[in-house]
Each structure stands twice: as C-alpha cells, then as structure tokens.
C-alpha cells in the first residue's frame, strides 16, 4: 500500500492519535469487508446492505452526531479520514455513509426539534435506519430554487405532492428529508423541509436509475401523491427549507470532497503497485520516465486535494466560515479524482480497461463527484461569490 504524508509523524500537524486510529480502523474495515465482492456489487448493481450494517456497528453512519443522540461524537476531520478510506475501495458504500452523516444526521441535529431528534436522529445515528436527502427534481437540479414539489398547508399537516429525482438511498432509506414549496409567491423563501417516513400513504419509490458509476448505491426517483405530513415533521420555522438545504449542502460538500479524494487515492495506490510489478523492455514500468511523471503528478495532486479537504474540515470543526473552502475542496478533489483515475487506467494499459483490476470502476465512480451536491460549475460560482464578498 502506498505511503502518504498522513503516515508520517509531522503531517498534518493537527491530526491526533484518535484521528489516525479512526483512519486505520476504516482502512482495515474497507480491506476486510468491502473489497471482497466489490466488483460483483458494481456489476449487478447490488446495494451493500450487509456492509452498511457492519459500518453502522462500527459507528460510521453517525460519526459526528453527539453521543447524547447515540452518535460517535467525532469531529469532521475523523469523518473525512474515514470517508477517504471507505471510498478507496467502494464509493457506493461511501456515498451512503456520506448522505446519512452529512445531509441527514447533521441537519436534523443542527436544526431539528428535540422531539425530531429523539424520534428520527437516534436510529439514524445508530445506523438502524438510513436517511435520504430529497432536493433534486426533474426541473430543479442546479437551480434548486425552482421546486415544483408542493406542500400545501392544511392546518395541522401539509399535503405533499410532487416528484424527486436522483435520490441516493432512495429505496433503502426509512427517513426522507423532502424540500417542497408551500408559498410559491415567496420564491425560495416559501420552501419547507419535511420529514417523510417510509410507508406514509401516497409515497411511492420509483424506478432505479441505471448509472455509469457508484452502481452499488441505489438511486431512485420518488413520487408523492397527497401525502399527509404532520406539521411536527417540519424542520425549522416556516419557509426555512431552502436555507436548511443550502446550509446542509455546504457541509455535505466536504464529505463528497473526501469521497473524491479516496477514489483518487485508491486509483493511485493501484497504479503505483502495478507499475512496480509490470515489466516492459526488460524492467518494471515504474522505471520509465513517462510513468514516473504520471505517478509524480498523481501524488502531488492528491496531496494538494487532501490539504484542501482537511483545511475545510478543520474550519468547520472550529466553527468558522467554511463555505468557500468546502467548495474549493469539492471542486479540486473531484477534478483530481477524474484525472487520476483516467491516468491510472492508462498506467495499467489494456488491463486497466477490464473489471478485474478495479481502476476502470474507480474511473466511472469518479465522474459523479463532479456532478452531485453541486456541479463543478456551481462550485466555481460559490467560490467566486465568496471571494467577491471580501472586496
């Protein structure tokens, strides 16, 4: 396995022994539990149900939730270190972990009522239930303000109607955070976030998407037809839904940046190992300068991405503004993941194009990190907006 600066005693200076222990535990778990069968799960689009249960037993599904609500009470740095190791092996399992931690548990703990935390957050943090974050729609992807799903105020409940697209954990979740428009005349200020439970009358899980990558993750459309959602299931005050979604996504981008970093690191480690074993023209291909140049650039880009991800996590843990840094980390790490995985396939030559050597899967998995939780184009807009605020 490739050595990174994380394995040295001097870098990063703010990592503790606990951080390293979390990283090592995640690495060991990924090698022992996720690596066997990962190609089969990708090929047949099998959700890693048993693996997710074991991740829950180890506390990976509610890492940052307070122990008060049965979570691990860990910081964001611990979370991204674990995410990187899980993503090296199985990005599909990693995105399930990311959504549950970053988009569902964090938002519930930060903005939910005590009743909501007791009822929903506890089982989510324990991993007994899985959560889903429902923002995207057929006509509302990057333009999340254009919500067509409606939640009509009926007094003591909302009447929910509409469709959500590209929902991770769509068929495996039990608890769904759904953004819906209650007051269209107010635009984004009229959106609410509602907690919807699996089994509510009128709620139907639609077709499973056939995807290029993260094929073990179940991505579905969701349909809501006159679903009665109690007022007690609204998160925050009336009209807080859009702000809730944006604040949640800011933290979620750190998780996806860590996923992209892990995909890149996994591909690099495989390419490095292969380059030492494969011989051409009488010597290992790692002794050829063009291969060395690829490996050098891979390593450099990955370490730069890692610094950005850890910096954003450190700011979040310190309670400081991290919007720009999270967007930078997500933008750069996702671009690095796509580039490194492509080069890893090239290093493997023809073997890189077949499933057995894993890098073709990592290449396919890398692409989605440039798209979900805000495309690379949206990240650049966010970064520019934050920079211009400083003038």
């Amino acid at each position: 396995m490739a050595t990174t600066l994380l394995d040295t005693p001097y870098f990063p200076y703010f990592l503790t022994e606990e951080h390293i222990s979390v990283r090592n535990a995640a690495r060991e778990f990924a090698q022992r539990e996720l690596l066997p069968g990962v190609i089969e799960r990708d090929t047949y689009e099998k959700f890693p149900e048993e693996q997710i249960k074991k991740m829950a037993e180890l506390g990976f599904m509610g890492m940052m939730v307070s122990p008060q609500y049965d979570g691990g009470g860990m910081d964001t740095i611990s979370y991204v270190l674990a995410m990187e190791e899980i993503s090296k092996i199985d990005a599909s399992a990693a995105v399930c972990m990311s959504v549950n931690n970053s988009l569902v548990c964090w938002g519930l703990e930060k903005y939910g009522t005590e009743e909501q935390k007791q009822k929903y957050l506890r089982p989510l943090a324990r991993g007994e239930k899985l959560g889903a974050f429902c923002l995207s729609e057929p006509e509302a992807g990057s333009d999340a303000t254009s919500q067509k799903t409606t939640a009509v105020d009926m007094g003591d409940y909302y009447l929910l109607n509409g469709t959500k697209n590209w929902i991770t954990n769509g068929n495996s979740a039990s608890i769904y955070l759904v953004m819906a428009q209650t007051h269209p005349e107010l635009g984004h200020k009229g959106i609410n976030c509602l907690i919807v439970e699996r089994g509510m009358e009128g709620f139907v899980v639609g077709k499973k998407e056939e995807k290029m990558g993260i094929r073990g993750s179940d991505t579905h459309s969701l349909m809501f037809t006159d679903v009665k959602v109690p007022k007690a299931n609204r998160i925050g005050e009336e009209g807080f839904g859009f702000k809730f979604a944006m604040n949640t996504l800011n933290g979620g981008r750190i998780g996806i940046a860590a996923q992209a970093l892990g995909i890149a690191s996994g591909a690099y480690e495989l390419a490095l190992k292969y380059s030492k074993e494969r011989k051409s023209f009488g010597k290992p291909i790692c002794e050829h300068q063009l291969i060395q140049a690829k490996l050098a650039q891979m390593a450099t880009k990955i370490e730069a991405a890692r610094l950005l991800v850890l910096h954003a996590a450190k700011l979040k843990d310190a309670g400081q503004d991290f919007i720009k840094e999270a967007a930078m980390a997500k933008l750069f790490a996702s671009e690095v993941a796509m580039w490194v995985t492509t080069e890893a396939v090239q290093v493997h030559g023809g073997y890189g194009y077949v499933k057995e050597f894993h890098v073709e899967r990592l290449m396919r998995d890398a692409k989605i990190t440039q798209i979900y939780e805000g495309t690379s184009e949206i990240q650049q807009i966010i970064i520019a907006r934050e920079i211009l605020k400083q003038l």
Side-chain angles (χ1 to χ4, degrees), residues 302-358:
I302 288 169
E303 295 296 355
R306 182 174 287 117
L307 280 171
L308 282 170
V309 175
L310 288 172
H311 179 53
K314 182 70 171 175
L315 288 175
K316 183 173 181 289
D317 287 336
Q320 298 181 30
D321 185 10
F322 63 91
I323 294 174
K324 179 186 69 177
E325 288 75 12
M328 286 179 168
K330 203 267 189 185
L331 170 66
F332 188 74
S334 63
E335 301 294 323
V336 167
M338 197 68 245
W339 184 86
V340 168
T341 55
T342 303
E343 289 296 280
V345 170
Q346 194 70 18
V347 169
H348 280 76
Y351 290 106
Y353 208 67
V354 298
K355 291 179 181 293
E356 179 184 354
F357 285 77
H358 296 283

Side-chain angles (χ1 to χ4, degrees), residues 148-384:
K148 295 294 189 292
T149 297
T150 59
V152 178
D153 191 339
M154 302 298 288
D156 59 351
Y157 65 90
Y158 292 97
L159 201 60
L160 184 65
N161 284 278
T163 301
K164 293 294 181 179
N165 271 21
W166 318 115
I167 306 304
T168 301
N169 300 338
N171 192 49
S172 302
S174 301
I175 299 166
Y176 302 77
L177 305 187
V178 182
M179 309 317 136
Q181 182 63 263
T182 299
H183 300 287
E185 71 279 4
L186 298 179
H188 70 279
K189 294 183 179 180
I191 296 171
N192 283 312
C193 176
L194 305 178
I195 304 171
V196 177
E197 298 180 45
R198 184 70 173 263
M200 282 184 170
E201 188 176 352
F203 173 30
V204 176
V205 176
K207 74 179 184 69
K208 182 179 180 180
E209 304 293 347
E210 296 183 8
K211 307 188 299 291
M212 176 172 72
I214 56 167
R215 288 165 56 85
S217 164
D218 65 324
T219 305
H220 288 255
S221 57
L222 308 176
M223 281 79 77
F224 307 94
T225 305
D226 291 339
V227 180
K228 292 183 178 180
V229 184
K231 275 278 183 71
N233 283 28
R234 187 187 71 209
I235 297 179
E237 60 189 17
E238 185 73 33
F240 182 67
F242 184 76
K243 188 174 183 180
F244 169 85
M246 294 302 103
N247 290 348
T248 304
L249 283 171
N250 286 332
R253 290 182 182 118
I254 297 176
I256 297 304
Q259 181 193 34
L261 174 62
I263 293 170
S265 298
Y268 164 70
E269 291 178 4
L270 289 169
L272 180 60
K273 181 175 182 291
Y274 181 81
S275 74
K276 293 178 178 180
E277 298 170 348
R278 173 69 169 174
K279 292 184 178 181
S280 71
F281 301 101
K283 59 183 179 181
I285 62 172
C286 65
E287 295 183 18
H288 296 296
Q289 287 186 344
L290 285 175
I291 298 298
Q292 290 178 351
K294 291 182 185 296
L295 295 172
Q297 290 186 60
M298 286 183 193
T300 301
K301 290 175 185 287
I302 288 169
E303 295 296 355
R306 182 174 287 117
L307 280 171
L308 282 170
V309 175
L310 288 172
H311 179 53
K314 182 70 171 175
L315 288 175
K316 183 173 181 289
D317 287 336
Q320 298 181 30
D321 185 10
F322 63 91
I323 294 174
K324 179 186 69 177
E325 288 75 12
M328 286 179 168
K330 203 267 189 185
L331 170 66
F332 188 74
S334 63
E335 301 294 323
V336 167
M338 197 68 245
W339 184 86
V340 168
T341 55
T342 303
E343 289 296 280
V345 170
Q346 194 70 18
V347 169
H348 280 76
Y351 290 106
Y353 208 67
V354 298
K355 291 179 181 293
E356 179 184 354
F357 285 77
H358 296 283
V359 287
E360 64 85 28
R361 183 186 75 256
L362 291 169
M363 181 179 173
R364 289 186 285 107
D365 288 345
K367 184 58 190 174
I368 192 60
T369 66
Q370 297 175 307
I371 298 172
Y372 59 15
E373 295 197 32
T375 63
S376 291
E377 290 76 14
I378 290 294
Q379 301 314 308
Q380 292 175 74
I381 292 172
I382 292 170
I383 294 164

Side-chain angles (χ1 to χ4, degrees), residues 3-215:
T3 299
T4 74
L5 287 177
L6 280 176
D7 297 302
T8 63
Y10 60 84
F11 177 89
Y13 63 89
F14 50 77
L15 290 188
T16 65
E17 289 186 7
E18 182 180 354
H19 289 141
I20 300 302
S21 295
V22 169
R23 188 276 309 267
N24 290 344
R27 176 181 292 178
E28 180 183 349
F29 172 82
Q31 292 289 331
R32 184 183 70 250
E33 301 290 347
L34 294 178
L35 185 57
V38 66
I39 293 176
E40 180 185 4
R41 292 193 298 275
D42 173 76
T43 301
Y44 297 105
E45 301 181 86
K46 292 175 60 177
F47 181 75
E49 183 174 1
E50 292 303 314
Q51 290 75 16
I52 294 295
K53 287 180 181 178
K54 291 178 181 178
M55 288 168 67
E57 291 170 3
L58 291 173
F60 288 133
M61 301 307 288
M63 294 184 69
M64 297 177 288
V65 176
S66 168
Q68 178 183 353
Y69 301 108
D70 300 335
M74 299 182 194
D75 59 12
T76 313
I77 292 173
S78 297
Y79 167 60
V80 300
L81 292 173
M83 272 292 297
E84 179 183 353
E85 293 301 326
I86 299 296
S87 303
K88 283 181 183 180
I89 305 300
D90 189 347
S92 295
V95 74
C96 298
M97 173 180 164
S98 176
V99 168
N100 205 69
N101 275 280
S102 298
L103 299 186
V104 181
C105 286
W106 184 86
L108 275 171
E109 184 169 21
K110 178 74 173 177
Y111 299 109
T113 65
E114 185 61 28
E115 180 184 0
Q116 290 168 352
K117 293 174 187 178
Q118 294 293 339
K119 184 176 182 179
Y120 299 114
L121 181 58
R122 282 186 181 277
L124 285 166
R126 294 193 297 264
E128 294 172 358
K129 293 185 177 180
L130 199 58
F133 183 83
C134 310
L135 177 64
S136 294
E137 297 182 2
E139 297 180 21
S142 293
D143 181 12
T145 61
S146 300
Q147 296 288 302
K148 295 294 189 292
T149 297
T150 59
V152 178
D153 191 339
M154 302 298 288
D156 59 351
Y157 65 90
Y158 292 97
L159 201 60
L160 184 65
N161 284 278
T163 301
K164 293 294 181 179
N165 271 21
W166 318 115
I167 306 304
T168 301
N169 300 338
N171 192 49
S172 302
S174 301
I175 299 166
Y176 302 77
L177 305 187
V178 182
M179 309 317 136
Q181 182 63 263
T182 299
H183 300 287
E185 71 279 4
L186 298 179
H188 70 279
K189 294 183 179 180
I191 296 171
N192 283 312
C193 176
L194 305 178
I195 304 171
V196 177
E197 298 180 45
R198 184 70 173 263
M200 282 184 170
E201 188 176 352
F203 173 30
V204 176
V205 176
K207 74 179 184 69
K208 182 179 180 180
E209 304 293 347
E210 296 183 8
K211 307 188 299 291
M212 176 172 72
I214 56 167
R215 288 165 56 85

